[in-house]
Amino acid sequence: MPRSPGRRSEILDAFVRYVAERGYDRTNIGDIADELGMSKGTIVHHFGTKSQMLRELEETHLSRQLDVLRTAWDRLAAPQERIVAIIYTSTLLHVIDRDATVASQREVVQLSDDPSMQQVQKLRDQLQALTIDEIRNGVDSGVFRNVDVELAALQLWGSLQSLWVWFDPAGPRTPEDVGAAFVDVFLGGLLLDRLELSKWADPSADVVSVVRQCLATATGATN
């Protein structure tokens, strides 16, 4: 029996939303089946297991994030710009692709020792490597202070990965507010010359427009 792409997408969308709202362990295939008016067997037919759905969620979300940054890299050359792009990509994804972003962040260690999740870990490592490279480039070019680049990258990603815990797009802070604050503190701690920090922390800066355009291309978002 051929698989229906429409039904498969519908199942995965519901799974992503459930994981974002409840977490992976409390997401039940039976609940998804009931909501969509199908049997659990239909879901198994499309995905096999719940862990396969998590793997697909993670791979899709992380690959999209990498695509956005690699596209932005074609238009942004300075390490300051690229660090700003990393930060704003993470904060804006909380609005543009909210469920997938929250689901991925809250389950960052879920099934981490499962061999089938090796590709997911590889994608996370690639995102980390992009950050390490740009901090190192900034140090080598005399723009950033001489810091432990790997530890600095871990600090940044650790902060960005915990956004789901406290950031509510419907709350008083916009993703632009959050991004600007992250840029001010993190980039401000790296720069040798802080005179232009306010430019990089400005949500109306050109680099933020580039990030928005790259996100729109990757996600189909219109705002």
Side-chain angles (χ1 to χ4, degrees):
M1 179 189 303
R3 299 184 181 186
S4 165
R7 291 255 82 179
R8 192 177 194 283
S9 176
E10 193 178 6
I11 294 166
L12 188 60
D13 286 347
F15 172 79
V16 171
R17 175 165 43 81
Y18 273 62
V19 174
E21 293 172 354
R22 304 177 176 183
Y24 177 79
D25 290 335
R26 295 177 60 203
T27 294
N28 188 287
I29 288 179
D31 291 340
I32 297 173
D34 289 344
E35 178 183 318
L36 299 179
M38 62 177 63
S39 68
K40 288 195 281 188
T42 300
I43 296 177
V44 172
H45 169 71
H46 282 285
F47 288 97
T49 64
K50 191 171 80 165
S51 62
Q52 166 62 21
M53 284 192 277
L54 180 65
R55 183 176 69 81
E56 190 159 330
L57 150 66
E58 294 279 19
E59 288 186 5
T60 299
H61 177 70
L62 295 171
S63 294
R64 179 175 292 159
Q65 198 167 356
L66 276 166
D67 287 344
V68 170
L69 293 176
R70 286 168 176 158
T71 303
W73 270 208
D74 292 337
R75 300 172 59 181
L76 304 171
Q80 308 98 302
E81 294 178 309
R82 291 181 172 185
I83 293 298
V84 172
I86 289 168
I87 291 171
Y88 273 100
T89 295
S90 291
T91 59
L92 289 169
L93 275 170
H94 271 270
V95 174
I96 293 170
D97 197 11
R98 174 72 177 170
D99 287 343
T101 302
V102 172
S104 178
Q105 289 187 352
R106 76 179 295 164
E107 300 301 344
V108 65
V109 298
Q110 186 69 250
L111 306 180
S112 58
D113 58 348
D114 188 327
S116 69
M117 299 294 279
Q118 287 181 350
Q119 178 60 22
V120 172
Q121 187 56 54
K122 184 183 295 185
L123 292 169
R124 292 192 188 281
D125 290 344
Q126 289 172 12
L127 282 166
Q128 187 84 354
L130 283 178
T131 310
I132 290 172
D133 288 346
E134 292 314 312
I135 297 174
R136 181 175 288 116
N137 288 341
V139 172
D140 291 345
S141 63
V143 174
F144 294 162
R145 296 187 303 112
N146 187 15
V147 298
D148 183 324
V149 297
E150 293 186 4
L151 185 57
L154 285 170
Q155 289 173 331
L156 179 59
W157 277 108
S159 299
L160 293 173
Q161 287 291 316
S162 66
L163 276 172
W164 75 273
V165 175
W166 57 267
F167 176 52
D168 178 5
R173 296 184 179 91
T174 67
E176 291 85 0
D177 292 335
V178 174
F182 268 73
V183 170
D184 183 66
V185 172
F186 185 76
L187 189 60
L190 288 176
L191 288 169
L192 282 170
D193 182 356
R194 293 168 52 95
L195 288 178
E196 292 192 332
L197 179 59
S198 60
K199 178 183 75 173
W200 300 115
D202 184 353
S204 64
D206 290 344
V207 61
V208 183
S209 297
V210 170
V211 169
R212 285 187 175 280
Q213 291 162 16
C214 294
L215 280 165
T217 299
T219 65
T222 57
N223 55 45

